[in-house]
Amino acid sequence: MSQHTYKPDSGDKMDTDISAPDPRATSEAPPGIAAGGPGATRDWGQSRGIQSIEVGGRLLRALADHGRALSLKELAQAADMAPGKAHPYLVSFGKLGLIDQDSTGRYGLGPLAMELGLISLQQYDPIRLAEPLLVELARATDQSAATALWGNHGPTIVRIEEAPSAVHVRMRPGTVASLRHTATGKAFAAFHARERVLEVIGQATLDAQFEAELARVRAEGVSLSVDGLLRGISAMSAPVFDQHGHMVLALTLIGPTPAFDPDPLGPLAQTLRSYAQWLSRRLGAPLNASASPWRAP
């Protein structure tokens, strides 16, 4: 197996969670991506800020990561601060409408936070966000990277970034990926609306062997094709979700089989998942301790 230029994200800091986190999940920016995201024009880490706001922001981050109302003790623990220190921040956030408190005393995100979230989502377009990400993903993995959307005839490649190495895998935008025989297609078959998948396949049900493969894809968070449609070429794909838990696009790595790591728990898969999860978070997907927010249609 040849050496890759990417760095596995298994050592990255995980989201703080009261429950045990899934080792496949991450909320950190993936390798090569600044905290501001690909194409960011401002490196906030180099600018002086107000420390108290940043400290209080850990409480908002904890609420967003958990996706549910938390007691003062739970929230303080998730934000790594004492309850007595957390409470004044919560009072101020409540006055601003950033948090709210229900009848049981638990804290959740408030109306202003929801309004800001809706405005933010309106500004985000999956393809626009994914474009600069592809460049970084190809550079980080030394593989060709592609994005695909669900089109009229099934999963359709819309953007390709060639690998920085001398070995390129040629694929044209507009190519429709096979649901059964490509990594991109399998990702959509596993996570996209079942009725649309069956419509493209032209069957009322899927055979048991394919269902078992799709179950593995959901469990591992990536799909794989080794020497599938073209001998000597392998691919791996990961789903990207929106705020509703719907798959909106696939991120796919493609490369020569001898230099491609097919291990779904290996560093190549970890890097691909980290990019897909980061993009999902930017689109509002409720990722916390699970590998994906996918909900069965």
Side-chain angles (χ1 to χ4, degrees):
M1 187 71 65
S2 65
Q3 294 295 317
H4 295 287
T5 59
Y6 58 80
K7 298 179 181 179
D9 65 345
S10 56
D12 288 349
K13 183 180 179 181
M14 306 290 290
D15 284 347
T16 304
D17 198 323
I18 295 172
S19 59
D22 189 314
R24 297 168 300 167
T26 177
S27 67
E28 299 293 328
I33 299 297
T41 58
R42 179 74 172 180
D43 185 359
W44 297 108
Q46 301 301 317
S47 302
R48 181 180 178 183
I50 300 175
Q51 186 177 11
S52 61
I53 293 179
E54 295 174 14
V55 172
R58 301 205 315 252
L59 295 164
L60 298 176
R61 177 75 270 169
L63 283 175
D65 287 344
H66 283 72
R68 61 181 177 85
L70 299 173
S71 68
L72 175 59
K73 180 180 179 180
E74 291 173 326
L75 186 51
Q77 181 180 350
D80 193 25
M81 65 177 69
K85 180 179 179 180
H87 186 261
Y89 286 104
L90 295 174
V91 171
S92 294
F93 289 152
K95 292 179 179 179
L96 292 171
L98 286 171
I99 64 104
D100 202 357
Q101 193 173 20
D102 63 22
S103 59
T104 68
R106 292 178 175 270
Y107 295 92
L109 293 176
L112 178 58
M114 296 178 186
E115 184 178 351
L116 291 173
L118 289 173
I119 294 173
S120 177
L121 289 173
Q122 292 171 5
Q123 297 175 350
Y124 283 157
D125 172 71
I127 295 300
R128 180 180 64 82
L129 285 176
E131 272 201 39
L133 198 71
L134 277 189
V135 177
E136 299 295 342
L137 181 57
R139 184 181 304 160
T141 61
D142 203 26
Q143 307 290 343
S144 294
T147 53
L149 295 173
W150 186 269
N152 293 333
H153 303 288
T156 305
I157 303 296
V158 295
R159 174 80 166 80
I160 300 168
E161 181 66 28
E162 297 286 358
S165 65
V167 180
H168 292 172
V169 178
R170 296 295 179 183
M171 180 181 293
R172 300 193 320 186
T175 300
V176 177
S178 166
L179 285 167
R180 288 184 176 273
H181 304 296
T182 68
T184 298
K186 292 174 187 177
F188 275 99
F191 294 102
H192 201 52
R194 176 52 59 94
E195 64 272 15
R196 296 186 180 181
V197 171
L198 294 175
E199 181 181 352
V200 169
I201 291 180
Q203 299 177 190
T205 60
L206 300 179
D207 60 86
Q209 182 177 355
F210 193 39
E211 286 282 19
E213 184 174 8
L214 297 183
R216 288 195 298 272
V217 171
R218 296 186 191 106
E220 295 168 351
V222 292
S223 56
L224 185 67
S225 175
V226 178
D227 296 333
L229 293 179
L230 186 61
R231 184 169 295 278
I233 300 299
S234 294
M236 184 182 290
S237 187
V240 173
F241 302 93
D242 64 12
Q243 73 272 25
H244 304 296
H246 299 154
M247 182 178 176
V248 291
L249 60 84
L251 281 181
T252 302
L253 292 174
I254 311 161
T257 299
F260 201 91
D261 180 5
D263 184 357
L265 296 179
L268 184 64
Q270 291 183 46
T271 300
L272 177 60
R273 272 193 300 265
S274 73
Y275 276 76
Q277 290 168 8
W278 184 88
L279 185 54
S280 295
R281 287 298 295 266
R282 293 295 300 272
L283 293 172
L287 295 179
N288 31 73
S290 62
S292 81
W294 177 76
R295 301 182 182 91

